[in-house]
Every structure is written in structure tokens, then in C-alpha cells.
């Protein structure tokens, strides 16, 4: 039975939850398909996550391999294929606790970077799991700065082989998933040397474990890197190479080839080598960042209408904690952010799909200039969004966790694992500060170009536009106008980009060397990049709401969320808007008033708004967040299953009993 | 051997590390004592934390009990006593991974709330560990709001007993440490009923496990609440009571007594019942919050001078990551905060010790008015500091973790466990938002009092002072004057408190009921309370530096840190200072310039500044943070000890081998 405090929240929804779900899914037919996939996975006991919070790292790994292997069978049984429309729902349905994800990256890299012959050889083997691949790029000493990788691959012309080595400890591969215990092969990135000359980083297919008995191959030292903040199910590994010889054909050579005589031939840009990373960077945003935030919001908001604590008025019943302004102010902006990031992800995905299709149909070297530029633009621009979204979603999940008090701190709430996992997204696939600075560099270039009257991509033409220098809002209701707040965000982005560009020029004109000047501006450059991404996100949210005009019920609540997202950003980053007086102190008070006024409005629909994310109880795996709201009962039932309650601890016989043994005689 | 990149950092310190350490410890004799305690603990293999990151919850619990029991012996051997000067260093030396902490709270509660007779009976038993106590206050349904506790204790006049019950699931005790598996007794807080009338929450001593065989007593259902985000070593427990009878003498009755005929007698304020919590709240700040931040800073800063990544200038060697402005801007403000919070803790501790001595020497009911007021003041005021410090330190540790990139995410860095543990401090001992609102209520009252010309405690007299309405700074160097920035903080605190008081009055005058009006101001009230605490912290830091005048070398670097702490706060919370034009946009640019200028100055002394915290390698337990800076070697060595490398996973035989078995025939 549903907890009555939660049930009542669902009776007063201002919109159809089912319609909102369908819209978020991109149509009711997608909702049906998603649910079918989720049902098929969740009714299969092999995919159960029931004991996940109780398992050791070894147990988690074993379960992840079991699920990955079983998934192959399941896909055959269900008629799902890797390129089929169901595929994207499968990973979500198993909630990420599955092995061989790097195997997919291994395959994708070969598809993109391998010659037709290499693709023809390796992809069928990998597809049928006749080998298990990994992707060995990161080293102990080098992450984001790929040019610094220290692994070497020396071409031996006499044997037509590459000799791979880990010349020092910092060159050891470290972190690659699926490599610590599972992989038989790995795509190893190392510095190519021919006749003593270094040609930079290239990818090599290296067998690391025997196909017979899984023992390590000669010259290979490999293992698991041990416990991490999360991802216990993944065997992130280390790999040391000692004079490992591989045939010349094992260097992926669609774009760069070493010919038998040692001649190095490059076709197209080196940039393409990093393309796989960019595609990964985009795809993780939905599954690893936005979905987890939606889950955290669902858990925290459902719990906050079941939990009653203290009284709003003396003599009354204790209040639902979501009725406190402070709780609303914690959770509802995070809910709005989940929607905002869902929409900006759609925007990025569309932009990317369009460009990717173009690149795939043509040889990179023959791409028209605008496509090459698109690729560059997309990479630089998406970097900043990856940083902004992961950073904001991570903070948001932490807020959700803390908003649930002590029970949020219990693993059984599901929130600790959501948090520790999403935190990783700020680090992997490009450290966020470095990504922001990539976008900042792009923005500064565009700003310079536009100042010089040169054309720039559509999303940054705003840098050239001359706008008013004062916000025209006259009362708090004016701040519910998307034109008003979008322009405020735009103004701040332009101001931060232009003032940092000016500082950069001033420094250089005063004699500071270019690189020092850049370093001295990086704190402000990162801020400018964030402001740009925030502006685009607000603008995209507002445009998404505007396009919704036929779906009245949904549009109204989405408009509220858009307003909340925008005003929360101004409220919590007030300095940027007040700095040059674009928004005055009096106007900031209006922003604050409008912002706080929105909270009780959205609060009424808070539960339907998270219900619309349509997570099953199994998918949330949370004692606090289930659809029925029976939180205390479920915490109690789940706790009893803990290994800590399965046995009398040896600590009793060993330590407690001897300690207490005198007690009886004295009491 | 020490990594040369780290060694060189120590050769250029602008001050004596040893002198700074001694000053932080409160004198060289304290440093000597602390080191002696740490040495004695760390050379004893029973206290080893070597395998901590690899252990299961069951193993962690067993180790914590083993250490707690061994510590008794150790203390006897060493001649340390609970009231001796070494005591406070012991907990730090074992780094918190020890059982029976709640046993201490159990004892402290009895000492404060028990009659002389009760103290005489229970304290010796507890002291000699002839029973193990716990402190059962929190329930599934109630945490910070104690009046809402649902456990009942009904006085049965016929048998002269209390009958304790858990009337519904939400009344189940949940979270108490040491209760899940260890405790034989618990101090249970429940609603006292006499002749059907409720007298509010009172503490009762209840035996929960047999002294003979540790089995649960009749009517007791208890166990462990399962996995948490951290504190795996603690058996946080649940407890359900079913008609459990205890003698009348088991209600702690120094201040409230039930006489044999059922007459209820109160002596003194009910407030005193919560006094134990306040004392706990203060003591955790150092051990659980500030020390962990100091550790995180040590790890992240040492790592940041060993880690080289990318180039500041083309053609040069890769740069130490601490030479990037963005990395400095992440870490150095956290370092300054660690110092700031250390000093504000000393301030609170002194304030508290003074008041506590007064209360202990007198019966609470006969305390002079000013002492009762002190107690009230201390509680309200310290609430806000607890919230501010825990919140800031938690964010700071997260920043340190993320600043170490992927390696920070490895458990072996020590940072994940520091983070997941410190996060708990935002929740336990009073949820932070509620604590901030307690302080805000106090501030509003003081503001009203001072507006009406009534006296207020010294630390809030500033609310009455009339100051200038514009910051007088004329150039960026002016912002290195403590007077300038302290006054800016003061101005913001006064503005936020007075404007929120005005909003509150406006709402009530417009007909909004008092409690609704309060709720509608809570977001701003919490901000006001933070601003107050931030102001006092800045002021206290500046005063601490000023008092240091004879120790020139130390004073200079402390002055830089104080400036950085203050300017970082203005820079990152600019809106509050710009709002009414107290600081202009042009002045904010000066703040930013001064702030960014300080980073490379402090960066030079960053390593000596963390060395001065004087943590041993064992105490840091971090592959990244050791004194010698051999980070890659240590990561590799430690990873090999992981249980994931101790065996071929069963996953191979079960799942991988069958998957790969076709491979040989096809390759």
C-alpha cells in the first residue's frame, strides 16, 4: 500500500505524468520500448541488484561479469542488437553494474581508427566475445595530457614488429577498465619510434592474457588497481610491458601507417585519434550523470513528503519536510537542473549526430573545411558542457543526499553510491578544469574573431551582439520573462569573456609572456567558460519550453522549472550579475523574491515531476525512494539482510567476552 | 629517498616549520607529548591501519573492537588516563577507527544527568568495561527534533518500574553507535508517561544484551543497520523495545525525578538534558572535521608538487600541477580555511571551557542569570559554527579529492574515506540547516534587542554599531588590510540580519502568521547566520595573526593566509558584498587582483605549511600524501595487496572461460 502522505501528492498533479514521461522519452512509442526493455531485464534474476550494497569488490566484479555474459544471451533471446533501438535502454536498465564496457570502447576505437582489413579481422572476434578488449590510454603519470604518455613502441624493421615497453613506473598503464582481471587484449597507446625518431602517440593492439588459461602473456605484468570510491564492479587495471613484441599489423592504421621499410605515412589529422574520446564524453553525460541526478531527485523528493519532522505551527501535526522553505530550496533547483540538463543533452546529441554522420560518410582528410571546423568546434564546445554538467550534477546529488539527513547517509538509501559514482564523472574522460579551459580558449578565439568582423559559429554569434547595459526589469514578475533572464545570462557571458580577453591582452602588452599571461587568467577563463555554458543551457531550456506550446499542462510546469533554473542561477551567482550594475541591488531583491515565490508553486507538483522520470523501484534500488513511500519498513527489512547481521562477530569471543567477564560477580 | 620535486619545496620555506607546529600545538611541550602518544600508538601493530582500505564492514568492526580493547591495556601500560593531558591525542593517533566511542557518551551523559547515587553505581562499571554502553536517542522517524521521539516509558506504580515500548516502526531506535553488535546497555531516550500524562523526553538506562552470553534480553530486538557511506567500523544499530521493564532507579534523575507515588519533580531546566549533545558538538569539530581537512590538504598539496602534467611553456619540462593558477585556486584557499577553522575552534573551545567550568561547579538551577544565558548563547552560537565549519570543510575535502584527479578517486589516496566520513559531520549532531536557523533566531533576537537599546553578548554588539556605507579601499593593496576586509564582512552580516529581520516584520505586518513568515524567511535566515559565522571567523583569524607579533616569520605567512581566507570569501560570494554597493564593481576587481596575486606567494610555502600539521605517514594512510612523495611506487605497491589481486576470480571459470572457449579454433 502506498503511504498516504505520498499518495495525496499524486492526486493534485497539474499535468498528466504519463504525457510528460512520453514527451521526455521523445514519444509514447519510445516509452513503451523502454519499459519493455526494463521489464525484460528486471524480471530476470541474473540482473538482480538486491544485494549490491552488501557485496565486496570481488563479489561485485563477479556479478558484473555474470551480467555481461548473460546479457549476450538475453539480447539474442530478445532479438536486441547493438545497433537496434532498444540498445540504449539496456545499459540504463542494468544500472551500469556490468562488465565489458571498455570492450565496447575497444571495438569503437578499432572501427574508427582501424583500416578495413583490421576492422574485418578484429571486430567479428570482439563482437562474438572470442576476445575481451580493453582500452589502455591513461598511465600512472599521465591522464588528460596525452602527448605526455611514456609507453614506447619501437619499430623493429628486421622482424617487422613493434616492441612495447613501460620504461619507468610512471609509464605503467593505470585505470583502464576491464583490464585488471578480464581482458585478453588491450588497445595500448604509446609513443611510436622508428629509427630512433618519435612520431607521437599511436594505438596498438596487444594481447595481454592467454586465451587458453587466462594467464598473463610473456612480458606482461598486470592486475587490479584495488579499491576505489565506487566502480567496485569494474576491474580497473594496471599494465606493465616488458619487451612485448607485436606484429606491424597491430598498429591501427587507417590514418597513420608504418610501412615495411619504416616509412611513416600519415593520412589526415592526428586529431582524429582522440575522436573516440569525444564520442565517449558525450554519451556518458546521459547515462552516468543526468540519469543519476534524476534518480537522486526522485529518492530525495519522495522521501521529503513521507518524512515529517518538527512543526510549522505549534499544535499542528509535524510537517512534511518538503513544506519547509529550506528543503524546497535545496531540492527543487536540483530537480529543475535535471530537466535543464536533459534538454541540453538532447541539444548536444542532435548537434553531434549531425556532425558524426557527415564525418562517417567521408574520409576525414577530404572533409570540407566547415566539417573539420564543426568537429573542432564540437570538441571544444562539448568539453565545457561536460565539465559544467558533471560538476553541477555532482553537487546536486550531494545536496539530495544531505537533504535526506541520516537516512540519506545509509547505503540503503541508494544516494551514497549515486554520489560516489557521479563524482567520478568530474574526473574521467577529461578533468573538468582542463575541459573548461579548452572551451575558454575557443571562446576567446571566437571573441577575437568577431571583434575583427570575422564569422563565428552560430552558438557564439552572441559575442558580437550589442545589447543594453542595464536589465530592463521593473518588478519581480518581469524576472519570469525568459527574454529578461536569458539576456542577463548572455550579458554576463559576454562580460566575462571580453574582460578576460582584455586582461590577457593587457598582460601581454605589459611584457608578460603569452603562456604566463594565459596561466594568470585561467581562474577567470574557467569562469567565463562556465558562464557561456550556463547561458546556452538557460537559452535552450527557454526555447524547449516555447516549442512545447501545444501541450498546455506540461508547458506551464516546464515554464516554472525553466524560471526556477534561471533564477536560481542568478540568485546563487549574484556577484556576476551585480558586478557592472547590469542587475541592480533592487533588481536582485526582485530576483530573490520571484525565485522564492516559485518554490511553493513547484513544490505542489514535485512528486509528479519525479514520477515522470519513470524509474522502477528496482532501478532506484533505494529504501527511501520507492514508489510506495514505505521508507521505514523498507530500511528495517533491508538492514536485516546485511552481512553484519548474519553472524555473531568473532569480535565477541575474542575481545568482548574477556572484557566483560568480571561483570557478573560485581553487578 | 624523498622525491626531488618535493624535497626542493622544503628548502625554501620562509619560516621554521618546527616553530609553526609548536605554535599550532600550543607550545613545544605539547608537540612533544603529542608525538610521544602518536609514536606509542603507531609502533604497536594492533593499531595498524595498513589493510583498512581492503577490509569488509565485518572486518572493520572486528578491528575497531580489537583496538578499543587493546587501548585499555595500552593506556594502563603507558600511564595515560582519561583525564590526563595525553588523552586528546589518543583518538587522533588511532584515527578514529575505534569502537566504544558511544560508550564514552553514555558515561558522560550519566555524569551530567545522573544523581550522585547513579553516578556512583554506573560510572565505575562503565569505566572498567564491565558493561558496554550506548546512547539511543535518534529514531527511524526522528533525528534533530527530539520532542517528537515516539519511544514510550510508562511508569508502573505497582511494580515501581518503567515499561519501555517501541509503539510503531518509526519509533525504533536507529543509528546509535556501538549498539548494533557491542553494547550490553543503552541510555534510551523516550517519552515519560505517569498516570497517562506525558512529561516529555527523559533518559533511561536499559540493559539490552545478556552479560553471560551477549544474547538479546527479553523484549529486545536489536541489530546492525547495515552499510553506510563510511563508519564501517562502527556498529550503528537499531533497537526495538517490547514491554521492557526497568527499575525506577534507572531513569537518570539529577534534574527530574519520578517519586515512588508517581509524583514528578523537576529541578532546573529541561534544557540541560540536551547539554551532552552540545558538548559533543564542540568536541567533534576538531577531531572529525578540522583534522581531516588538514590531512586532505597535506595529501593534495604534496601530490600537486610531485605530479607533473602538461607544459606551462612549450619546450620546457612538464610543470608541477601546483604551478597552475587553477590548481592553486583550488587548494590554497582550502589550506587557509584549515588554519582559519583551527583558530576559530580554539576560540570556541576557550569560550566553552570557561562556561563549562562554571556550570560544573554549581547546580544548574542556581546558576546566575548570566551563566544560564551563556549556556543558551553558547548553544545557539556554536550551532551555526558547527554548521559553517562542517559544511566548508566537507566542500574543501571534496575539492582536495577532485584536485588530485583520478588518483584522488582511488581509495589508496586516503581522500575518499576522508570525504565520506567528513560528509557525515554535516548530518550528525544536528542537521546543519536546523543549526543555522537556531543561530539565526538568536541573531534576530539580538538584533531586535540592540535596536531597542538592550544589551547583547559581546560577539554580537557589532549589530548595533553604525559604520560607513562604502568600503574605503582605493587600490588592490588596501584589500590586504584586515580592517578593510573584516569591516566588509561585518557590513554584510549586519545587512543580511537586518534585512531579513525587516522582511520578517513586513510579512507579519501584512497579516502573514508568525510561523509562516518565519518559514518564508528561512533561506535568507540561514544565509544571515552563515555571514555572521564567517565574519567572526575572519575577525578571529585577523586577531590571532595580530597577537603573533613577536614571531615574525610565522606571522608573515599567517597574515598571507588570513588575507587569502578573507579575500577568497569575498571573491566567491561577491554578490553579498556588491548588493548594496558597499563594495563597487571596480573594488571587486581589486579584490580579485589581490586574491589572485596571493596565490603564487602562498604557493611557495605550500608544502612547509602542510608539513607543519605534522601528520605521520601512518596517520595519513595515503599513497599520494606521504612525506617522501613516492606516489607512483606506493600506489603500485599498495594495489598489489588488494584482495582483488589475491585470487583468480571465480568469474573466470564460471563465465569468462566458457565465453572465450571458441577462440582458439578461430584465431
Amino acid at each position: 500500500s502506498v503511504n498516504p502522505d505520498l499518495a495525496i501528492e499524486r492526486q493534485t498533479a497539474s499535468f498528466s505524468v504519463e504525457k510528460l514521461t512520453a514527451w521526455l522519452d521523445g514519444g509514447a512509442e519510445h516509452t513503451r520500448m523502454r519499459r519493455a526493455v526494463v521489464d525484460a531485464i528486471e524480471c530476470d534474476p541474473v540482473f538482480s541488484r538486491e544485494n549490491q550494497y552488501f557485496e565486496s569488490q570481488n563479489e561485485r566484479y563477479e556479478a558484473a561479469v555474470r551480467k555481461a555474459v548473460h546479457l549476450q544471451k538475453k539480447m539474442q533471446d530478445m532479438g536486441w542488437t547493438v545497433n537496434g533501438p532498444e540498445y540504449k535502454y539496456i545499459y540504463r536498465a542494468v544500472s551500469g553494474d556490468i562488465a565489458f564496457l571498455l570492450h565496447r570502447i575497444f571495438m569503437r576505437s578499432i572501427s574508427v581508427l582501424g583500416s578495413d582489413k583490421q576492422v574485418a579481422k578484429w571486430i567479428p572476434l570482439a563482437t562474438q566475445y572470442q576476445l575481451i578488449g580493453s582500452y589502455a590510454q591513461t598511465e600512472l603519470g599521465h591522464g588528460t595530457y596525452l602527448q605526455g604518455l611514456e609507453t614506447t613502441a619501437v619499430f623493429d624493421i628486421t622482424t617487422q614488429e613493434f616492441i612495447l615497453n613501460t620504461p619507468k613506473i610512471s609509464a605503467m598503464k593505470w585505470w583502464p577498465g576491464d583490464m585488471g582481471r578480464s581482458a585478453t587484449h588491450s588497445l595500448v597507446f604509446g609513443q611510436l619510434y622508428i629509427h630512433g625518431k618519435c612520431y607521437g602517440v599511436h594505438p596498438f593492439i596487444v594481447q595481454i592474457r592467454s586465451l587458453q588459461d587466462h594467464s598473463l602473456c610473456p612480458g606482461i605484468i598486470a592486475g587490479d588497481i584495488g579499491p576505489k570510491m565506487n566502480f567496485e564492479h569494474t576491474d580497473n587495471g594496471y599494465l606493465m610491458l616488458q619487451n612485448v613484441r607485436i606484429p606491424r599489423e597491430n598498429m591501427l592504421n587507417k590514418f597513420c601507417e608504418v610501412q615495411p621499410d619504416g616509412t611513416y605515412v600519415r593520412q589526415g589529422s592526428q586529431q582524429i585519434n582522440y575522436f573516440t574520446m569525444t564520442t565517449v564524453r558525450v554519451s556518458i553525460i546521459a547515462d552516468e550523470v543526468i540519469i543519476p541526478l534524476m534518480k537522486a531527485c526522485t529518492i530525495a523528493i519522495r522521501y521529503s513528503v513521507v518524512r515529517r519532522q518538527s512543526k510549522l505551527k505549534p499544535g499542528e501535526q509535524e510537517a512534511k519536510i518538503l513544506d519547509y522553505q529550506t528543503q524546497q530550496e535545496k531540492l527543487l533547483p536540483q530537480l529543475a537542473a535535471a530537466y535543464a540538463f536533459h534538454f541540453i543533452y538532447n541539444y548536444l546529441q542532435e548537434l553531434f549526430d549531425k556532425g558524426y554522420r557527415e564525418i562517417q560518410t567521408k574520409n576525414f582528410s577530404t572533409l570540407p573545411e566547415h566539417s573539420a571546423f564543426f568537429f573542432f568546434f564540437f570538441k571544444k564546445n562539448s568539453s565545457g558542457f561536460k565539465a559544467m554538467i558533471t560538476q553541477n550534477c555532482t553537487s546536486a546529488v550531494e545536496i539530495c543526499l544531505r537533504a535526506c539527513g541520516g537516512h540519506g547517509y545509509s547505503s540503503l538509501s541508494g544516494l551514497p553510491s549515486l554520489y560516489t559514482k557521479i563524482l567520478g564523472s568530474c574526473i574521467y574522460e577529461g578533468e573538468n578544469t582542463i575541459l573548461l579551459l579548452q572551451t575558454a580558449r575557443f571562446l576567446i578565439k571566437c571573441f577575437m574573431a568577431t571583434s575583427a568582423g570575422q564569422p563565428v559559429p552560430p552558438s557564439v554569434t552572441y559575442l558580437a551582439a550589442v545589447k543594453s547595459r542595464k536589465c530592463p526589469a521593473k518588478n519581480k514578475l518581469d524576472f519570469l520573462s525568459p527574454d529578461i533572464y536569458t539576456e542577463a545570462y548572455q550579458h554576463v557571458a559576454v562580460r566575462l569573456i571580453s574582460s578576460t580577453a582584455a586582461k590577457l591582452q593587457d598582460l601581454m602588452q605589459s611584457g608578460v609572456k603569452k603562456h604566463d599571461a594565459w596561466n594568470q587568467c585561467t581562474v577567470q577563463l574557467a569562469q567565463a567558460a562556465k558562464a557561456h555554458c550556463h547561458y546556452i543551457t538557460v537559452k535552450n531550456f527557454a526555447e524547449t519550453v516555447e516549442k512545447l506550446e501545444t501541450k498546455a499542462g506540461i508547458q506551464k510546469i516546464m515554464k516554472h522549472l525553466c524560471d526556477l533554473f534561471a533564477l536560481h542561477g542568478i540568485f546563487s551567482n549574484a556577484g556576476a550579475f551585480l558586478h557592472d550594475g547590469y542587475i541592480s541591488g533592487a533588481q536582485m531583491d526582485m530576483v530573490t523574491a520571484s525565485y522564492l515565490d516559485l518554490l511553493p508553486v513547484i513544490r505542489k507538483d514535485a512528486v509528479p515531476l519525479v514520477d515522470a522520470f519513470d524509474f522502477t523501484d528496482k532501478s532506484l534500488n533505494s529504501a527511501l525512494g520507492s514508489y510506495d513511500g514505505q521508507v521505514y519498513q523498507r530500511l528495517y527489512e533491508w538492514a536485516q539482510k546485511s552481512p553484519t547481521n548474519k553472524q555473531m562477530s568473532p569480535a565477541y569471543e575474542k575481545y568482548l567476552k574477556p572484557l566483560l567477564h568480571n561483570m557478573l560477580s560485581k553487578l
Side-chain angles (χ1 to χ4, degrees), chain A:
Chain A
S1 68
V2 176
N3 174 302
D5 280 339
L6 183 50
I8 206 168
E9 300 279 339
R10 296 188 169 119
Q11 290 162 12
T12 52
S14 76
F15 60 89
S16 153
V17 170
E18 191 63 25
K19 275 190 189 154
L20 178 52
T21 299
W23 181 61
L24 291 172
D25 276 326
E29 68 283 10
H30 291 108
T31 301
R32 276 191 295 277
M33 182 181 290
R34 178 175 54 71
R35 286 178 181 165
V37 171
V38 169
D39 281 353
I41 296 283
E42 291 188 351
C43 76
D44 187 331
V46 176
F47 295 111
S48 167
R49 291 161 65 218
E50 198 187 331
N51 293 313
Q52 181 178 311
Y53 302 131
F54 306 130
E55 288 173 344
S56 70
Q57 194 177 359
N58 274 329
E59 290 163 340
R60 291 284 296 277
Y61 166 71
E62 188 181 329
V65 172
R66 184 184 72 227
K67 290 179 191 178
V69 171
H70 186 68
L71 184 58
Q72 295 309 110
K73 192 178 165 301
K74 190 88 189 173
M75 287 180 67
Q76 279 175 358
D77 293 352
M78 302 296 296
W80 299 335
T81 66
V82 171
N83 298 316
E86 299 90 352
Y87 192 70
K88 68 173 173 173
Y89 301 122
I90 297 173
Y91 180 76
R92 292 184 197 179
V94 296
S95 290
D97 263 26
I98 195 158
F100 307 154
L101 296 180
L102 271 288
H103 181 73
R104 299 225 64 79
I105 311 268
F106 173 83
M107 288 173 69
R108 203 167 349 164
S109 304
I110 292 174
S111 304
V112 174
L113 305 175
S115 65
D116 293 348
K117 204 172 148 192
Q118 288 171 325
V119 170
K121 173 178 177 182
W122 294 101
I123 295 299
L125 292 171
T127 304
Q128 297 159 51
Y129 279 103
Q130 298 188 348
L131 60 78
I132 297 165
S134 176
Y135 180 91
Q137 181 177 292
T138 303
E139 297 175 354
L140 260 177
H142 285 91
T144 306
Y145 183 65
L146 297 187
Q147 294 102 298
L149 293 180
E150 296 175 297
T151 298
T152 57
V154 176
F155 185 60
D156 180 353
I157 198 163
T158 58
T159 61
Q160 292 288 304
E161 290 172 319
F162 296 105
I163 310 168
L164 276 81
N165 268 296
T166 301
K168 51 202 283 208
I169 186 153
S170 58
M172 190 185 293
K173 295 295 175 186
W174 196 269
W175 277 110
D178 292 335
M179 195 175 76
R181 312 175 82 175
S182 297
T184 61
H185 290 66
S186 194
L187 190 65
V188 174
F189 285 79
Q191 303 284 355
L192 169 64
Y193 284 85
I194 310 171
H195 298 313
K197 183 180 166 192
C198 182
Y199 287 84
V201 173
H202 289 73
F204 304 85
I205 298 177
V206 181
Q207 183 173 352
I208 60 172
R209 284 188 179 87
S210 157
L211 295 168
Q212 200 120 33
D213 63 4
H214 216 61
S215 61
L216 294 171
C217 292
I220 300 289
I221 294 172
D224 185 275
I225 64 164
K228 299 146 291 187
M229 203 163 178
N230 197 310
F231 293 89
E232 295 99 329
H233 65 281
T234 302
D235 55 324
N236 298 94
Y238 61 80
L239 172 67
M240 215 182 318
L241 300 151
Q242 299 176 324
N243 291 316
V244 174
R245 289 177 168 267
I246 58 168
R248 189 177 63 90
E249 293 74 25
N250 278 22
M251 183 178 107
L252 294 186
N253 60 13
K254 182 169 183 181
F255 299 104
C256 311
E257 196 182 9
V258 179
Q259 292 177 342
D261 65 350
T263 306
Y264 178 82
V265 182
R266 178 187 300 263
Q267 328 181 15
S269 158
Q270 176 98 351
Q271 281 283 348
I272 196 73
N273 280 358
Y274 310 132
F275 189 70
T276 312
M277 247 185 104
T278 306
T279 72
V280 172
R281 193 174 290 158
V282 175
S283 67
I284 60 149
I285 289 178
D287 290 342
E288 299 292 357
V289 185
I290 299 171
I291 299 266
L293 174 56
M294 289 174 168
K295 286 185 179 177
C297 288
T298 305
I299 295 166
I301 286 175
R302 286 182 182 163
Y303 175 67
S304 295
V305 298
V306 170
R307 179 76 168 183
R308 289 179 175 273
Q309 197 79 176
S310 199
K311 299 182 180 183
L312 270 168
K313 287 168 206 166
E316 283 194 352
Q317 189 186 8
E318 289 186 52
K320 294 177 173 185
I321 58 175
L322 196 57
D323 287 327
Y324 292 96
Q325 187 189 47
T326 46
Q327 188 76 354
Q328 293 169 8
E329 209 264 329
K330 286 176 194 174
L331 295 179
L332 301 183
Q334 316 319 321
L335 177 63
Y339 277 90
F341 295 140
H342 175 78
F343 299 136
I344 196 73
Y345 171 75
N346 287 348
Y347 162 86
L348 289 171
Q349 189 67 51
E350 270 170 42
L351 204 64
F352 181 76
D353 287 347
K354 190 164 154 277
Y356 192 57
R357 274 193 300 274
E358 202 157 352
I359 289 175
Q360 272 190 318
T361 56
K362 295 173 188 170
N363 187 306
F364 190 79
S365 63
T366 66
L367 278 178
E369 201 51 41
H370 77 271
S371 290
F373 182 77
F374 159 79
F375 169 70
F376 168 79
F377 160 71
F378 187 79
K379 187 181 158 209
K380 297 301 173 194
N381 203 355
S382 71
S383 299
F385 282 105
K386 184 269 183 184
M388 178 196 68
I389 296 172
T390 55
Q391 199 149 317
N392 280 281
C393 289
T394 299
S395 304
V397 172
E398 198 205 290
I399 290 168
C400 290
L401 187 155
R402 283 167 52 172
C404 293
H407 295 327
Y409 194 78
S410 163
S411 302
L412 307 179
S413 74
L415 293 165
S417 57
L418 285 172
Y419 175 75
T420 52
K421 199 168 185 202
I422 199 172
L423 179 67
S425 72
C426 296
I427 300 165
Y428 61 67
E429 301 309 332
E431 200 276 328
N432 275 354
T433 303
I434 294 164
L435 296 183
L436 284 171
L437 293 177
Q438 283 180 5
T439 295
R441 195 179 287 273
F442 167 74
L443 291 170
I444 295 286
K445 274 187 192 167
C446 291
F447 177 76
M448 299 301 199
T450 200
S451 303
Q454 292 157 6
V456 292
S459 76
V460 288
T461 48
Y462 76 89
L463 291 171
V466 179
K467 298 279 178 174
S468 81
R469 304 190 53 200
K470 294 275 177 200
C471 171
K474 296 205 164 40
N475 58 55
K476 68 177 182 176
L477 293 180
D478 286 346
F479 278 104
L480 301 179
S481 153
D483 287 345
I484 296 279
Y485 56 68
T486 305
E487 202 171 309
Y489 274 94
Q490 185 188 93
H491 177 85
V492 168
V494 173
R495 181 176 66 74
L496 290 174
I497 294 162
S498 61
S499 69
T500 313
K503 178 178 171 185
L504 207 48
Q505 282 191 315
D506 287 352
L507 281 169
M508 288 192 287
Q509 275 164 14
S510 73
V512 179
K513 294 224 176 83
K514 191 177 165 192
H515 293 87
D516 288 329
W518 178 262
N519 190 29
Q520 286 171 39
C521 291
T522 46
V523 167
Q524 286 148 306
L525 285 163
Q527 282 187 328
K530 276 187 217 171
H532 163 76
C533 295
H534 209 151
Y535 159 56
I536 301 290
T537 306
V538 167
K539 183 161 159 273
N540 180 65
F541 199 157
E543 286 168 1
T544 305
V545 172
E546 208 176 1
K547 280 185 221 143
L548 243 175
E549 56 193 5
T550 53
K551 299 180 184 162
I554 297 174
Q555 194 192 31
K556 195 171 166 198
I557 187 69
M558 286 299 120
K559 169 71 167 58
H560 289 321
L561 283 176
C562 181
D563 294 347
L564 187 74
F565 180 76
L567 298 185
H568 173 256
I570 301 177
F571 174 76
S572 48
N573 196 21
F577 296 85
L578 291 164
H579 188 279
D580 62 350
Y582 181 82
I583 285 184
S584 68
Q587 285 174 321
M588 192 55 74
D589 290 338
M590 298 171 200
V591 168
T592 304
S594 264
Y595 167 59
L596 295 176
D597 285 351
L598 276 168
L599 296 174
V601 174
I602 295 170
R603 183 256 170 272
K604 286 188 199 128
D605 278 323
V607 168
L609 281 167
V610 297
D611 283 352
F613 295 145
D614 202 31
F615 293 114
T616 61
D617 284 357
K618 283 185 179 168
S619 140
L620 292 172
N621 206 17
S622 165
L624 301 189
S626 291
Y627 189 83
D628 67 8
Q630 297 295 354
V631 302
Y632 299 136
Q633 189 62 39
R634 203 168 268 111
L635 272 175
Y636 179 45
E637 280 167 17
W638 290 14
Q640 289 172 80
K641 293 189 284 184
S642 166
T644 49
N645 290 320
K646 288 285 160 65
Q647 53 166 28
M648 173 81 92
S649 170
Y652 174 67
E653 283 291 334
K654 286 196 215 167
Y655 311 114
L656 291 179
K657 200 172 163 187
L659 189 72
L660 294 163
H661 80 290
N662 284 328
M663 181 73 172
L664 292 175
S665 58
K666 300 203 183 173
L667 247 197

